[in-house]
Amino acid sequence: MKNNIKNLRATFNLTQEDLANRIEVSRQTINAIEKGKFDPSLPTAFRLAAVFKCTIEELFVYEP
C-alpha cells in the first residue's frame, strides 16, 4: 500500500527512530511501512495518524 509517511516524517522533522519510539514499534517496521513492504495494523495506523495530526486516508493510498 502506498503511503505519505516519509514525506510527513520529513515535514515533522522526525527520524524513523523518533517515529518508531512515538508509536511503539521498531525502526525496521517504519522502514518497511514506508517502502510499502508491510501494511500496519489498524491500531498502528491510528497511532501514525495521531502523530501527524491527520486521517488514516491522508496517510495511506489504497490501490486494489
Side-chain angles (χ1 to χ4, degrees), residues 7-63:
N7 293 334
L8 286 167
R9 194 170 50 73
T11 300
F12 280 71
N13 199 28
L14 294 171
T15 65
Q16 287 182 343
E17 188 72 30
D18 293 336
L19 181 56
N21 289 335
R22 283 192 181 193
I23 67 165
E24 299 176 346
V25 299
S26 70
R27 184 202 56 79
Q28 291 85 351
T29 298
I30 298 299
N31 186 48
I33 293 170
E34 285 184 357
K35 290 184 176 190
K37 295 182 178 186
F38 177 74
D39 292 334
S41 67
L42 196 53
T44 299
F46 274 110
R47 288 194 300 268
L48 284 165
V51 167
F52 296 123
K53 298 175 177 66
C54 67
T55 66
I56 290 174
E57 291 84 358
E58 291 171 309
L59 282 179
F60 297 97
V61 179
Y62 176 71
E63 293 179 337

